[in-house]
Amino acid sequence: MKDATFLIPTAKLLQKVVDMIDKLHLDDKDIKGDLYEYLLSKLATAGTNGQFRTPRHIIKMMVEMMLSHATITKDFKIYDPACGTAGFLINSIEYIKEQRAEILDTLSSKEFEGLFYGNDFDISMARIASMNMMLHSIESAHISNTDALAKFDLKEENKYDLILANPPFKGSLDYEEVSKAVLDVAKTKKTELLFVSLILKALKTGGRTAIIVPDGVLFGSTTAHKELRKEIVSNQQLDAIISMPSGVFKPYAGVSTAIIIFTKTNGHKNDKVWFYDMQNDGFTLNDNRTPCDGSDIPYILERFKNLENEKNRTRTDKSFFVPISEIENNDYDLSINRYKEVVYETVTYDKPAKIIEDLETLNSKITTGLKELKELVNG
């Protein structure tokens, strides 16, 4: 509670708030958690440092993709270096409880709490995240309030089995403000690249990540962009690129984003990468973001869990494989538009003489109709 501000100004108002809360049925911790998540959904969290509240349906998709077949023991560690309100961690907790309940039989309460780690440089976000974790049965939440890029040290290297993150998209830091270990991967001032570098360092060998990045990370032409992509493509195991539509983060931002999924191997690269062109996330892509039909998310989950069935798809489909060698030959470009093939439908038009003839016939009918209408009016 350090530096916390108490915003209830009078004793009477405090008494009224306490009485109202006391009437709520909050014996079940799940209800408390749901209520807290609802309140968080009403927060306008479009920060000045590129912070945007990640849509919960996107978080759930990423969590299911990464945890559905993960081998989770007491030593497993899930981490979000820019956790915000702890959305990725909370959804991981709920997914394990609901879909991987057998794991709970092998872990004590303390061991289960030890699976989840988060960090945010914003003290308010770290505070909210800690409370969110407590309301979801994690009494001793491992949420820290540090500058992850500046304070990264040897204790954080090779520590985590799974990293789920949506780090800040915009921002620039001086080299002096960033840990040398992070800069060793790619020397850059851009926060979106620095966080990918941090994740590479923080993962254990064999650890996996799903991270949301702006599209510029996939095709940027600077030396740092290329070095980072080369590291992921040729020195790690790049598993998937999921391109998302630009409206996913509206109304806060219209930036196009993608999810990068890779495994840290330090020397072993994949032979091919799975791409998916998400065109609909189940909500309209305007500022209102109202629910709509046609979501790609169920197909993404189904196809990702059965990648062996994807090898015969063509590049005109929403999902397809691209050989690593082709990506390397394309300057490590990871944008889906570089590889997707668009089929254009052939449209045949009449010759100009025929169009003119049709127009003359139409005009003749209009003239006749107007003449008949005029006679009716005058008659």
Side-chain angles (χ1 to χ4, degrees), residues 193-226:
L193 298 181
L194 290 169
F195 268 101
V196 178
S197 300
L198 179 148
I199 287 169
L200 274 164
K201 286 285 187 176
L203 280 173
K204 293 179 182 177
T205 302
R208 305 186 76 197
T209 184
I211 175 175
I212 298 174
V213 297
D215 271 2
V217 173
L218 305 180
F219 58 78
S221 58
T222 70
T223 301
H225 279 91
K226 292 179 181 178

Side-chain angles (χ1 to χ4, degrees), residues 54 58-67 76-84 86-93 95 116-119 160-167 199 203 208-212 259-261:
T54 314
I58 299 296
I59 290 178
K60 287 182 178 179
M61 178 188 77
M62 293 169 65
V63 166
E64 183 171 345
M65 292 174 78
M66 305 309 291
L67 285 180
F76 197 86
K77 290 181 174 63
I78 302 170
Y79 180 50
D80 183 349
C83 67
F88 281 108
L89 300 177
I90 297 302
N91 276 273
S92 296
I93 292 168
Y95 183 82
F116 309 100
Y117 294 78
N119 175 77
Y160 301 104
D161 298 273
L162 174 62
I163 297 180
L164 298 162
N166 176 22
I199 287 169
L203 280 173
R208 305 186 76 197
T209 184
I211 175 175
I212 298 174
I259 300 168
I260 297 178
I261 298 174

Side-chain angles (χ1 to χ4, degrees), residues 351-364:
K351 292 181 178 180
K354 177 66 168 61
I355 294 173
I356 292 171
E357 183 183 334
D358 290 342
L359 286 172
E360 288 175 340
T361 301
L362 186 60
N363 281 331
S364 176

Side-chain angles (χ1 to χ4, degrees), residues 24-26 28-42 53 56 60 90-91 94 97-98 131-137:
L24 298 175
H25 299 289
L26 298 177
D28 186 346
K29 283 191 175 182
D30 287 341
I31 294 176
K32 294 178 185 177
D34 291 344
L35 175 60
Y36 197 69
E37 282 287 304
Y38 173 78
L39 293 173
L40 291 180
S41 74
K42 300 304 177 185
R53 185 176 183 276
R56 286 318 188 242
K60 287 182 178 179
I90 297 302
N91 276 273
E94 292 177 343
K97 286 182 175 180
E98 294 170 8
M131 179 61 74
N132 205 5
M133 296 288 279
M134 288 179 69
L135 289 173
H136 286 84
S137 305

Side-chain angles (χ1 to χ4, degrees), residues 119-176:
N119 175 77
D120 203 281
F121 77 102
D122 186 326
I123 181 63
S124 297
M125 288 294 106
R127 224 180 246 132
I128 290 170
S130 295
M131 179 61 74
N132 205 5
M133 296 288 279
M134 288 179 69
L135 289 173
H136 286 84
S137 305
I138 306 298
E139 300 293 344
S140 301
H142 300 286
I143 303 293
S144 55
N145 169 224
T146 62
D147 185 336
L149 296 174
K151 302 296 183 182
F152 188 85
D153 56 29
L154 291 175
K155 291 187 293 184
E156 290 294 299
E157 281 197 48
N158 306 306
K159 182 176 180 179
Y160 301 104
D161 298 273
L162 174 62
I163 297 180
L164 298 162
N166 176 22
F169 287 175
K170 61 180 180 179
S172 182
L173 299 173
D174 292 332
Y175 295 134
E176 294 76 18

Side-chain angles (χ1 to χ4, degrees), residues 29 47-48 54 70 72-73 134 179 194 196 207 225 229 233 256 304 328 344:
K29 283 191 175 182
T48 56
T54 314
I72 299 175
T73 65
M134 288 179 69
S179 166
L194 290 169
V196 178
H225 279 91
R229 293 199 302 269
V233 170
S256 294
F304 185 74
E328 291 174 331
Y344 296 99

